[in-house]
């Protein structure tokens, strides 16, 4: 069993830290209603799914001898099992001040609640059978989404699209296994229930469905996890200017002096639905100044690990040996970007030879080339065609299990072809089904649960 008891009543602030119009404290468990009643200063009885305006008093406010009013709140009771967690839940909406909300949590703890562990509300929903594991993970993805496409992919999974796809494949495998089993149990009829050819044909349909998922997963992962693109180039070519233009804010310092940027500056941007972490880096040169030298080292490190490099060269300055050396060295995958298109150009793309045939001209002054560059960024990171639909699967845990299932079905197919026994084929089909069941959590070891839910933050 997971480390913490599912029978306690738990409490946590559900809204993010900081000040807001309202803030929500969530209580869940068998004592939720009783604890909320103890906190409420007025004697209104809570009705299920009715918002009740009441007050919370603080009987032990520091330095004050008598009870003081703490906050005016709205309490809403969601009666079990019709609640997020499946337990009794009371949501207390107070004014969104961290001190008030913290105090409400403390008072609830004084009245018998325990502070919730990260992800514990969602874990309860899972343990109570309200949602499966895919949906629980989708809650975390939805909360963490930074692009609308990411949010849509998570919402689809929360609504059960992936679960249903997995269930369809699993049902097919189950049916196939049952018929093979029947052929075993009634050997006189031989392959009466299913010929080897039929079995092979059905198996390849299952494998095609798994292959589709795996293919979608490639895009899905990019949408879910995002990618890093580093802006690279010699000093003063306009790296920070382009970074700011793509980010849409003046994040990095821009000056006419070479060697302005030293630290890495990173920002997440939505590029066609893909969350891209853009990294602005120091201009590459042999720097005498130790601070700049450190910046150049960091720039090289960041460029080495990025999924893509934007290789910037200044179109308005002569194409020197240093720039040529830079272009030779910058690793693929990369996009060559020629900057300062609004100024008179000192050379044309032919001067870059083969490396220049797909270079892009941009200017942050006129805005030329920027939307084209965004498009090229997306295509360099994912297959555009595949990005048209919301990917059904995006989580690496799910994909690893899909791969396991693919591998088992591949072996089952080989066995069928090679005349292997039904028992051996059945064993492979069984492994494939076990892998699929782990995706939705119908079969999952406790450590896996802890691992998944510990990545949530408190209050979810
Ligand atoms: N006209 C024009 N000037 C630009 C453009 N992009 C950048 N500049 C100018 O080029 C100079 C250098 O720009 P930065 O963005 O600081 O260049 P950088 O590559 O980040 O420079 P370092 O950080 O020093 O390596 C500044 O004076 C910018 O205003 C452009 O598209 N057109
Ligand atoms: Mg810079």
């Amino acid at each position: 069993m997971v480390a913490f008891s599912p029978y306690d009543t738990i409490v946590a602030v559900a809204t993010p830290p900081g000040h807001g119009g309202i803030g929500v404290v969530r209580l869940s468990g068998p004592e939720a209603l009783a604890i909320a009643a103890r906190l409420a200063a007025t004697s209104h009885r809570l009705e299920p799914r009715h918002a009740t305006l009441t007050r919370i008093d603080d009987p032990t406010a520091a330095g004050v001898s008598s009870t003081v009013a703490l906050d005016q709140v709205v309490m809403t009771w969601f009666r079990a099992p019709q609640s997020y967690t499946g337990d009794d839940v009371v949501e207390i909406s107070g004014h969104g001040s961290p001190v008030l909300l913290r105090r409400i949590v403390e008072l609830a703890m004084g009245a018998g609640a325990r502070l919730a562990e990260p992800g514990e509300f969602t874990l309860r929903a899972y343990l109570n059978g309200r949602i499966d594991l895919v949906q629980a993970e989708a809650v975390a993805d939805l909360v963490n989404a930074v692009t609308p496409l990411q949010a849509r992919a998570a919402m689809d999974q929360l609504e059960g699209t992936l679960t249903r796809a997995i269930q369809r494949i699993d049902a097919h495998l189950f049916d196939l296994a049952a018929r093979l089993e029947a052929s075993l149990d009634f050997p006189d009829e031989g392959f009466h229930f299913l010929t080897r050819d039929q079995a092979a044909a059905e198996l390849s349909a299952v494998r095609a469905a798994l292959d589709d998922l795996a293919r979608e997963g490639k895009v899905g992962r990019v949408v879910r996890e995002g990618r890093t693109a580093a802006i690279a180039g010699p000093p003063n070519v306009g790296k920070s200017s382009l970074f700011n233009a793509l980010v849409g804010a003046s994040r990095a310092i821009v000056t006419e002096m070479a060697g302005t940027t030293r630290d890495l500056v990173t920002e997440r941007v939505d590029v066609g639905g893909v969350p891209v972490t853009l990294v602005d880096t120091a201009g590459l040169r042999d720097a005498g100044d130790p601070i700049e030298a450190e910046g150049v080292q960091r720039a090289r490190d960041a460029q080495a690990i990025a999924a893509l490099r934007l290789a910037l060269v200044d179109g308005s300055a002569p194409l020197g040996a240093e720039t040529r050396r830079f272009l030779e060295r910058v690793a693929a995958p990369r996009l060559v970007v020629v900057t300062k298109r609004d100024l008179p150009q000192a050379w044309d793309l032919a001067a870059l030879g083969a490396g220049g045939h797909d270079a892009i001209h941009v200017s942050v002054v006129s805005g030329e080339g920027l939307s084209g560059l965004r498009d090229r960024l997306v295509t360099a990171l994912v297959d555009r065609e595949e990005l048209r639909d919301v990917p059904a699967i995006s989580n690496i845990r799910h994909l690893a299990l899909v791969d396991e299932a693919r591998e088992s079905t591949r072996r089952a197919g080989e066995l069928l072809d090679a005349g292997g026994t039904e028992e051996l084929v059945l064993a492979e089909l069984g492994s494939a089904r076990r892998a699929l069941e782990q995706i939705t959590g119908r079969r999952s070891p406790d450590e896996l649960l802890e691992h998944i839910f510990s990545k949530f933050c408190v209050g979810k």
Side-chain angles (χ1 to χ4, degrees):
M1 199 62 261
V2 264
F4 28 91
S5 163
Y7 307 109
D8 296 342
T9 295
I10 52 174
V11 64
V13 179
T15 38
H19 300 265
I22 57 170
V24 177
V25 171
R26 188 140 72 167
L27 271 165
S28 175
E31 293 297 309
L33 188 62
I35 292 171
R38 248 168 270 159
L39 297 188
T42 53
S43 58
H44 297 301
R45 280 174 55 87
L46 297 184
E47 299 279 333
R49 290 166 184 264
H50 276 266
T52 305
L53 180 67
T54 178
R55 202 183 67 229
I56 292 183
D57 289 345
D58 190 342
T60 53
V64 182
S65 53
S66 58
T67 293
V68 295
L70 180 68
D71 194 12
Q72 214 170 41
V73 301
V74 170
M75 291 189 182
T76 314
W77 171 33
F78 298 90
R79 183 167 32 200
Q82 259 97 47
S83 73
Y84 179 68
T85 60
D87 294 338
D88 266 332
V89 167
V90 177
E91 285 185 2
I92 303 174
S93 305
H95 292 98
S97 145
V99 279
L100 287 177
L101 297 173
R102 211 174 306 133
R103 190 68 192 134
I104 293 174
V105 167
E106 284 168 6
L107 291 173
M109 288 167 71
R114 160 170 76 70
L115 196 62
E117 299 290 333
E120 198 173 359
F121 290 94
T122 310
L123 173 61
R124 289 214 170 162
Y126 168 71
L127 293 175
N128 286 329
R130 300 281 293 165
I131 54 175
D132 69 14
L133 216 42
V134 168
Q135 291 170 312
E137 290 168 286
V139 170
D141 283 1
L142 194 56
V143 172
N144 293 327
V146 296
T147 78
L149 184 63
Q150 244 182 329
R152 261 168 53 211
M155 186 60 193
D156 271 7
Q157 290 174 25
L158 185 56
E159 299 214 296
T161 320
L162 177 59
T163 302
R164 283 190 296 274
I166 298 287
Q167 278 167 351
R168 269 195 303 277
I169 298 173
D170 188 49
H172 203 157
L173 275 173
F174 175 73
D175 177 64
L176 184 57
R179 285 193 285 157
L180 273 178
E181 195 103 48
S183 316
L184 265 184
D185 291 345
F186 304 99
D188 292 346
E189 345 224 334
F191 266 107
H192 174 77
F193 292 91
L194 190 67
T195 66
R196 250 168 211 273
D197 286 349
Q198 281 169 340
E202 300 221 358
L203 192 59
S204 62
V206 168
R207 290 178 58 194
L210 286 170
D211 288 348
D212 283 348
L213 273 184
R215 219 178 356 260
E216 277 194 59
K218 286 213 185 81
V219 187
R221 277 193 64 186
V222 179
V223 169
R224 178 172 183 265
E225 294 163 19
R227 283 288 181 262
T228 302
I231 301 181
N236 226 26
V237 296
K239 296 181 296 299
S240 301
S241 305
L242 182 65
F243 175 86
N244 289 342
L246 292 172
V247 168
S250 180
R251 274 279 281 120
I253 299 171
V254 169
T255 74
E256 65 281 4
M257 276 154 52
T260 302
T261 305
R262 273 88 188 278
D263 275 331
L264 301 175
V265 187
T266 65
E267 198 68 52
R268 273 211 151 187
V269 291
D270 177 355
V271 186
V274 179
V276 175
T277 303
L278 267 187
V279 189
D280 181 25
T281 64
L284 300 174
R285 66 172 171 187
D286 294 326
D289 173 353
I291 303 173
E292 191 184 348
E294 174 63 22
V296 170
Q297 189 52 47
R298 290 180 184 211
R300 291 193 194 285
D301 294 346
Q303 288 160 19
I305 58 172
L308 175 73
R309 280 145 289 275
L310 298 184
L312 267 59
V313 287
D314 187 340
S316 71
L319 196 58
E322 197 183 349
T323 304
R324 287 187 182 281
R325 224 179 6 259
F326 159 69
L327 283 174
E328 276 162 25
R329 283 194 194 159
V330 58
R334 66 181 203 181
L335 288 177
V336 177
V337 181
V338 183
T339 60
K340 309 189 190 179
R341 181 65 163 170
D342 56 293
L343 298 177
Q345 300 291 288
W347 43 276
D348 62 24
L349 289 184
L352 293 179
H357 76 277
D358 58 353
I360 314 159
H361 281 289
V362 299
S363 162
V364 301
V365 173
S366 67
E368 180 185 339
L370 290 178
S371 78
L373 175 59
R374 282 197 191 86
D375 284 351
R376 289 281 299 279
L377 257 173
V378 182
T379 8
L381 294 169
V382 280
D383 183 331
R384 234 264 207 241
E385 273 299 296
E386 291 175 342
L387 202 61
R388 272 213 310 238
D389 299 319
V390 180
I393 183 166
S394 57
N395 183 319
I396 186 161
R397 186 186 75 84
H398 304 160
L399 280 161
L401 290 164
V402 164
D403 278 341
E404 254 182 68
R406 285 167 81 203
E407 185 51 27
S408 300
T409 52
R410 190 189 59 74
R411 282 196 299 264
E414 273 178 11
L415 285 166
L416 274 175
D417 287 347
T421 65
E422 289 88 345
E423 281 92 342
L424 288 176
V425 177
L426 276 168
E428 294 298 350
L429 297 185
S431 319
R433 292 195 62 206
R434 274 193 298 283
L436 295 181
E437 282 163 1
Q438 279 183 47
I439 296 179
T440 51
R442 276 178 54 201
R443 219 186 275 229
S444 70
D446 288 345
E447 317 88 80
L448 176 68
L449 291 185
E450 281 206 38
H451 173 75
I452 290 169
F453 288 97
S454 64
K455 281 192 277 188
F456 279 71
C457 49
V458 174
K460 248 178 268 157

